[in-house]
Amino acid sequence: MTALTTPLEDALLERLRGAVRGDIIEPGHPAYDEARQVYNAMYDKHPAVIVRAADAEDAIAVVDFAREQDLLLAVRGGNHSFSGLGSCDGGVVLDLGRMRGIRVDPEARTALVQGGCTWADVNHAAHAFGLATTGGVVSSTGVGGLTTGGGMGHLARRCGLACDNVLAADLVTADGRFLTCDEERHPDLFWAVRGGGGNVGVVTAFTYRLHPVGDVLGGPVFYPLDADVMRGYRELIAGSDENFSALLVITLGPPVPFLPERWHGRPVCGLVVCWTGPPEDDRRIRARLEDVGPVLGSAVDRVPYPVINTLFDEMLPAGLHHYGKGHFSRDLSDPAIDVHLSYGAMTPSLQSATVFFPIDGACHRIGPEETAFAYRDAAFSTALSPALTTRAACESAAGWVRAYSAALAPHCLRGGYVNFMDHDDDSRVRANYRQNYDHLAEIKRRHDPGNLFRLNHNIAP
Ligand code: FAD
């Protein structure tokens, strides 16, 4: 027990025990210290109770309990929030991590996915049927936070954002109602779930549209960090069909066997490639990658689609210290490239990176007000995301991020991706939801007037 946590009265805990089938973990419980951890080690919070929900009914009970007792409520999906939103001091954590069931309907090409699943779960289940949908590029990231914020990944250019593939969401609202939302039923909530950042309720299950994606040509290619390579990347994306995607990663050369040792630890540009088009075109794609710049090392191969979303996993285990900022931009302009070159050269660790997600193609075929995700005119979403082994090193890297972000701002749109925001980005909330902010605030006032769901990129009701 710590000074930060006022214990819940026994009678209240007993009431909670009577209402849920999942695990209840309070301070003093042998699992408490492990259960309260979040992915980002910068946050060390002490909730009054953690409930590992077994089912949607448990989620309803926890929402009711938190509201009735006027307790802070943290909703945890995959626990990957950069700003430590999956836990809280003194309140209740609703951890969905036990709710990881998936049912794929291969004929309808849909998947019913429980709210605590990770992208590893979804990719594995869908791949068995030669199907996939857009998800995160680190497999341990949760579907819950990623999808409600928008959701970028290798399939975004071809299939849209993760939220664009949501056909329905089972939602527990602040008053404890369980609603299935889709285009016909509760369309306002369905709209808000797709980009509104978890502000309107707990999604206990998503129904996703799946797409035929089996094996892909993919993997990393490394180049020197220079302006020609970045311009080459810009041209590569602009000139490629939507079956092609590549993240651009400015980082330090990793100690991998296919990269010559003299590049280990030096600033480089990496492309993480994913080509879902026909294998007959693999040779053409490989040739285009060589046109981007002098290749220092490459490990591009035909692999099952789930593999392409595990390439960063080993580098980014839970427990590192993170601080981040996000920007959207309509292009990758030459002045922006200059900023990236100067700050990229100061990348603070092997696990740190500036990552560019291309979000044109199918993402642009949805109108800016059709879902709560506002930036349908952005071609790139950029994450400045250092990861370090100590708190002190991360605090120092945060200075680098702030300066980098300020230098980049004139070359970007005003807002950034809600899922790349850190704890000190409250002043960007309106810009991040942009033209959809007022509509979201109005839905929030109707469905969560007490702001029960406030541990997110929060829209005040
Ligand atoms: P959590 O910490 O569990 O939750 C984060 C937020 O989402 C909280 O506010 C929470 O309340 C809300 N939330 C979670 N689950 C639910 C639910 N079921 N219903 C309602 N609200 C919910 N983003 C991308 O778009 N693409 C990427 O490829 C990508 N890669 C990443 C890689 C790493 C290593 C990290 C740390 C982040 C990455 N992100 C990426 C950002 C990611 O989208 C966010 O961190 C996201 O919030 C993670 O979701 P989660 O469920 O794991 O997080």
Side-chain angles (χ1 to χ4, degrees):
M1 175 104 42
T2 76
L4 278 172
T5 311
T6 314
L8 285 184
E9 286 167 29
D10 287 350
L12 282 179
L13 273 176
E14 276 316 301
R15 203 168 118 198
L16 198 54
R17 282 204 179 87
V20 305
R21 289 200 308 150
D23 313 309
I24 296 192
I25 302 168
E26 72 282 13
H29 187 290
Y32 179 75
D33 269 329
E34 182 264 319
R36 68 183 183 79
Q37 302 300 329
V38 291
Y39 175 85
N40 183 354
M42 289 304 277
Y43 298 92
D44 183 26
K45 297 185 185 168
H46 295 79
V49 65
I50 300 158
V51 181
R52 287 188 172 144
D55 47 34
E57 291 71 20
D58 280 2
I60 297 170
V62 173
V63 165
D64 284 340
F65 180 80
R67 188 191 60 251
E68 285 159 15
Q69 301 307 320
D70 199 17
L71 288 164
L72 199 55
L73 174 66
V75 178
R76 182 188 294 176
N79 206 10
H80 261 234
S81 158
F82 279 113
S83 40
L85 294 167
S87 194
C88 59
D89 281 325
V92 183
V93 173
L94 168 56
D95 182 348
L96 302 172
R98 272 183 62 177
M99 294 174 52
R100 289 171 72 166
I102 300 185
R103 184 178 186 280
V104 176
D105 180 339
E107 279 181 29
R109 291 188 182 157
T110 59
L112 180 65
V113 173
Q114 281 194 303
C117 285
T118 64
W119 286 102
D121 301 329
V122 178
N123 294 336
H124 170 77
H127 186 70
F129 303 97
L131 299 169
T133 198
T134 307
V137 302
V138 173
S139 76
S140 51
T141 313
V143 299
L146 185 134
T147 306
T148 52
M152 293 143 196
H154 290 296
L155 300 182
R157 299 188 77 220
R158 170 176 154 184
C159 308
L161 302 172
C163 74
D164 301 338
N165 289 288
V166 175
L167 300 172
D170 288 346
L171 189 71
V172 178
T173 51
D175 56 2
R177 281 182 305 158
F178 177 87
L179 305 173
T180 297
C181 314
D182 56 21
E183 292 290 1
E184 263 92 51
R185 294 169 287 179
H186 314 286
D188 57 341
L189 289 169
F190 183 56
W191 178 86
V193 156
R194 293 172 295 156
N199 268 280
V200 292
V202 183
V203 181
T204 57
F206 297 92
T207 304
Y208 290 100
R209 182 189 299 113
L210 303 177
H211 308 262
V213 177
D215 289 353
V216 302
L217 180 75
V221 192
F222 288 102
Y223 308 87
L225 173 63
D226 72 37
D228 286 342
V229 168
M230 293 193 68
R231 283 195 281 264
Y233 169 72
R234 178 177 71 195
E235 279 147 33
L236 178 68
I237 293 295
S240 299
D241 79 55
E242 292 168 12
N243 287 315
F244 179 83
S245 187
L247 310 182
L248 172 67
V249 183
I250 301 175
T251 187
L252 303 181
V256 288
F258 59 86
L259 185 66
E261 234 178 276
R262 66 180 185 283
W263 287 98
H264 295 180
R266 285 172 60 187
V268 290
C269 276
L271 258 56
V272 184
V273 174
C274 179
W275 164 249
T276 63
E280 302 85 87
D281 288 339
D282 285 6
R283 193 191 287 261
R284 179 177 62 83
I285 298 296
R286 286 179 186 279
R288 295 210 60 185
L289 294 172
E290 281 171 21
D291 288 344
V292 169
V295 173
L296 308 176
S298 161
V300 172
D301 215 336
R302 278 256 139 209
V303 291
Y305 171 72
V307 170
I308 214 72
N309 294 301
T310 61
L311 300 179
F312 297 102
D313 286 13
E314 214 175 300
M315 293 283 274
L316 295 170
L320 292 172
H321 297 73
H322 300 257
Y323 177 85
K325 296 261 170 272
H327 290 275
F328 286 121
S329 59
R330 286 201 187 97
D331 56 11
L332 181 50
S333 66
D334 285 347
I337 287 176
D338 289 341
V339 174
H340 289 299
L341 293 180
S342 10
Y343 284 90
M346 296 183 271
T347 301
S349 72
L350 283 175
Q351 293 97 336
S352 299
T354 302
V355 184
F356 298 74
F357 289 79
I359 49 165
D360 54 351
C363 308
H364 286 193
R365 287 195 286 277
I366 295 190
E369 291 169 26
E370 270 184 65
T371 67
F373 181 87
Y375 281 84
R376 299 295 178 174
D377 52 342
F380 295 100
S381 173
T382 308
L384 316 181
S385 62
L388 297 114
T389 49
T390 66
R391 175 175 292 271
C394 188
E395 277 161 3
S396 142
W400 169 75
V401 172
R402 288 193 200 101
Y404 190 168
S405 177
L408 206 52
H411 312 295
C412 295
L413 295 163
R414 271 193 62 219
Y417 179 33
V418 296
N419 279 343
F420 293 157
M421 294 295 132
D422 218 301
H423 66 279
D424 52 359
D425 281 315
D426 286 352
S427 62
R428 295 181 74 190
V429 174
R430 189 172 266 278
N432 294 342
Y433 294 111
R434 214 187 193 185
Q435 73 279 353
N436 294 331
Y437 181 90
D438 289 335
H439 189 191
L440 275 166
E442 184 258 312
I443 294 171
K444 181 84 174 167
R445 271 194 296 279
R446 257 187 296 132
H447 292 280
D448 185 15
N451 207 6
L452 182 65
F453 302 113
R454 80 180 71 136
L455 292 181
N456 42 45
H457 203 54
N458 193 232
I459 294 159

